Amino acid sequence: MIEIKGVVKNYDGVTNVVDNLNLTINDGEIVVLIGESGCGKTTTMKMINRLIEPTSGAIEIDGKDIKQFEKIELRRNIGYVIQQIGLFPHLTIGQNIALIPKLVKKDAKETLARVKELMEMIDLSYDDYAERYPGELSGGQQQRIGVARALANDPDVILMDEPFSALDPITREQLQNELLKLQDELHKTIVFVTHDIDEAFKIGDKVALMKDGAIIQYDTPEGMLKNPLNDFVENFIGQDRLWKTPDMLKASDVMEKNVVTIGANRSIVNAIGIMRDRQTKVLVVVKNTPEPKTEILGLVGSNRLRGVENGDLKMKDIMKTDFRSTHKDDCLATVLTMRKENNLRYTPVLDDNGSLIGIITDISVLNVITDVMPVSEDY
Ligand SMILES: Nc1ncnc2c1ncn2[C@@H]1O[C@H](COP(=O)(O)OP(=O)(O)OP(=O)(O)O)[C@@H](O)[C@H]1O
Ligand SMILES: [Mg+2]
C-alpha cells in the first residue's frame, strides 16, 4: 500500500505545485491520476520513487516512510514507464529490457531468460526483436518494450506516466487491453497517469481527478460517474458520459425505491386504498417470511384492478405470477432485454440477501434515461 500524506511540493519560484495531497493506493490496484496539463501528476509520480523530494509531508510504502529506503533500492522495486517512452536509442531492445536485471547483478543466464519471458509477455518475439534498436520499432512496439522494461525486476509497484498518449487510438486500445490482461495475472500496484478520461475509466480501479496540485475527487469510475462531487468533476468527465457508458448503469440505478408490498389474502378494495395512500401503481404480493429475505408471490399493477367487479377477490386470485426479479447489480441493458423478451412491465429488484429493495417500471427507466441523455439543441 502506498500512502501519500499531506504532501506539498514547491519548486524554485513556483509554490504548491502539489498542494497538500493525500492519497491511499491499495495493493494490486490500478489508480489513475488524471487532470489538466500542469496540475502536478508527473511531480506526484516522481515523488513516489524519489526522483524528487516533497517540500513537506510524507510518502509511505507498506507503512514505512520512503525516506528510510535507499533511493536506488527503492527505484529497483518500482517500475517506471516515463512520459515519452524513454528507451535508450543506442541500446538494442534486448539490452534495454535487461538494463535493470543487470544493474541488480543478476547473472547473464537468468537475465536472458527474464528478457525472453518478458518479450513473450508483451507479444514481441525475442528472435525477431531483441537485436533491433528502438528506432526500428513502431511507437506501439516501443511502448510495449517500455512496459516490459518496467516489469523486468518484478517490482510490486509500477508508475506509468502517460505511457500510451503518443499512440494512435487503435494501438492505444490494444495496449490498454494488454495491460489489463497482464494485470489480471500479475496484480501489481499501478499508478497510471493520463489526460484521457476514457482511458482513465477503462484502466482504473480508482481514479483521482487532480486540479492545481490537489485531488478533487478520488473514487471508482462508477462512483465518479454517478456521483460527481461538483461542477468541475462533472465538466471534466463530460455530462453525457454515462450515456456513452450505459453498462455502468445497474438495476439499482433505475429502480423506483418506493416499493410497496401486500399480503396474498388482502382484497382488491384494500389494494386500491394502499395504492392511493402510497402513491404507487404496483404492489408486490409477498408471503410473510422471516426478514430479510422476501418471498415474492406475484405482482399486481393498477391495470389489473381496473374493471374487476368483485371487490372481494384477493391478491392471490388476480396477481401476475409469471414475473421476473433482477439482482441490484445487473446491468441496465440486461434488464431491459429481459423486460422486452418477457413483455414485463414491472421488475422487482433484490439485494444480495434476496430482500426486495425496489422495482423497475417503465417510468423509472424513462426518468433515468432522460437524466443521462445529452442535452441537444436540435429539437
Ligand atoms: N523542475 C521544475 N521547476 C519548476 N517548475 C516545475 C518543474 N517541474 C514542473 N514544474 C511545474 O510544476 C507544475 C506541475 O508539473 P507536472 O509536470 O507535475 O504536471 P503534469 O500534471 O504532469 O502535466 P502534463 O499533463 O503536462 O504532463 C507545472 O506548472 C510545471 O511547470
Ligand atoms: Mg506530466
Side-chain angles (χ1 to χ4, degrees):
M1 184 165 76
I2 306 172
E3 285 171 284
I4 303 180
K5 296 181 167 175
V7 163
V8 173
K9 178 66 188 176
N10 303 329
Y11 287 112
D12 280 345
V14 197
T15 56
N16 296 340
V17 162
V18 170
D19 186 8
N20 191 22
L21 189 109
N22 292 288
L23 183 67
T24 299
I25 299 163
N26 292 322
D27 289 344
E29 275 185 355
I30 302 183
V31 166
V32 175
L33 303 183
I34 188 165
E36 283 152 11
S37 186
C39 72
K41 305 180 295 294
T42 298
T43 304
T44 303
M45 296 276 256
K46 285 183 173 168
M47 288 192 285
I48 297 175
N49 66 2
R50 293 187 67 196
L51 281 172
I52 55 177
E53 301 287 350
T55 308
S56 61
I59 300 178
E60 293 174 8
I61 295 186
D62 296 334
K64 189 170 161 185
D65 193 317
I66 58 173
K67 283 197 196 124
Q68 292 169 16
F69 294 95
E70 278 287 321
K71 268 191 198 172
I72 302 291
E73 187 57 29
L74 181 77
R75 275 177 223 151
R76 277 177 201 150
N77 291 316
I78 301 181
Y80 190 27
V81 185
I82 59 173
Q83 211 166 347
Q84 305 306 337
I85 306 174
L87 297 178
F88 293 104
H90 58 289
L91 299 181
T92 65
I93 296 306
Q95 289 166 335
N96 261 289
I97 300 176
L99 213 57
I100 295 175
K102 273 207 178 122
L103 277 180
V104 296
K105 303 204 169 33
K106 292 232 165 95
D107 72 58
K109 221 171 117 191
E110 207 180 327
T111 301
L112 179 64
R114 181 70 180 146
V115 171
K116 285 186 172 171
E117 182 189 9
L118 286 164
M119 291 191 68
E120 203 167 297
M121 227 187 249
I122 54 157
D123 242 2
L124 288 175
S125 92
Y126 179 86
D127 292 341
D128 292 341
Y129 290 95
E131 300 300 317
R132 294 209 213 170
Y133 289 88
E136 300 166 336
L137 267 58
S138 74
Q141 290 167 337
Q142 290 185 47
Q143 285 293 8
R144 284 200 186 97
I145 302 297
V147 173
R149 193 177 59 177
L151 288 168
N153 205 32
D154 199 19
D156 296 324
V157 175
I158 303 174
L159 309 177
M160 305 181 87
D161 195 349
E162 304 203 34
F164 307 146
S165 58
L167 305 173
D168 66 88
I170 294 173
T171 313
R172 185 173 186 150
E173 204 184 330
Q174 248 171 17
L175 291 203
Q176 290 165 350
N177 293 340
E178 278 175 29
L179 177 67
L180 290 175
K181 217 169 89 197
L182 273 179
Q183 174 67 351
D184 264 353
E185 291 165 26
L186 302 177
H187 308 290
K188 301 290 182 190
T189 305
I190 299 177
V191 189
F192 188 107
V193 167
T194 183
H195 272 108
D196 184 273
I197 191 77
D198 290 309
E199 183 164 83
F201 283 165
K202 175 168 175 183
I203 297 270
D205 294 305
K206 295 212 188 89
V207 177
L209 175 55
M210 291 179 67
K211 182 175 189 279
D212 301 334
I215 290 176
I216 305 296
Q217 186 166 3
Y218 182 41
D219 210 333
T220 59
E222 199 180 325
M224 200 175 274
L225 270 169
K226 290 180 187 166
N227 301 303
L229 199 69
N230 54 29
D231 288 351
F232 175 75
V233 181
E234 201 163 316
N235 287 330
F236 196 93
I237 63 185
Q239 280 162 339
D240 57 350
R241 169 72 37 187
L242 209 47
W243 185 244
K244 287 187 194 154
T245 45
D247 50 324
M248 291 264 184
L249 285 173
K250 305 280 161 54
S252 55
D253 296 314
V254 292
M255 71 189 185
E256 170 67 60
K257 291 194 189 88
N258 173 28
V259 53
V260 184
T261 58
I262 188 169
N265 287 316
R266 305 297 296 282
S267 70
I268 286 184
V269 174
N270 295 146
I272 291 171
I274 293 174
M275 279 184 180
R276 196 181 46 226
D277 289 350
R278 300 289 299 273
Q279 302 200 332
T280 180
K281 285 192 153 59
V282 59
L283 299 173
V284 180
V285 184
V286 294
K287 191 166 164 182
N288 277 336
T289 43
E291 292 284 327
K293 197 168 162 34
T294 327
E295 192 176 331
I296 302 176
L297 302 173
L299 302 176
V300 174
S302 55
N303 57 323
R304 288 208 162 228
L305 304 179
R306 239 174 262 138
V308 178
E309 302 207 335
N310 180 357
D312 290 336
L313 278 178
K314 307 251 192 297
M315 292 299 103
K316 62 183 179 196
D317 303 320
I318 61 159
M319 67 190 181
K320 178 177 172 67
T321 52
D322 56 338
F323 65 94
R324 297 275 194 90
S325 300
T326 189
H327 183 265
K328 68 180 173 55
D329 293 335
D330 287 342
C331 82
L332 175 61
T334 314
V335 176
L336 290 182
T337 310
M338 180 183 89
R339 284 166 62 82
K340 183 151 186 271
E341 281 174 357
N342 298 287
N343 201 14
L344 300 173
R345 247 180 122 159
Y346 302 111
T347 315
V349 181
L350 309 179
D351 68 7
D352 288 333
N353 298 321
S355 305
L356 177 68
I357 56 167
I359 190 157
I360 295 174
T361 70
D362 295 343
I363 300 287
S364 76
V365 172
L366 201 63
N367 281 342
V368 170
I369 290 181
T370 327
D371 263 4
V372 301
M373 273 231 291
V375 180
S376 162
E377 304 286 319
D378 302 336
Y379 62 108

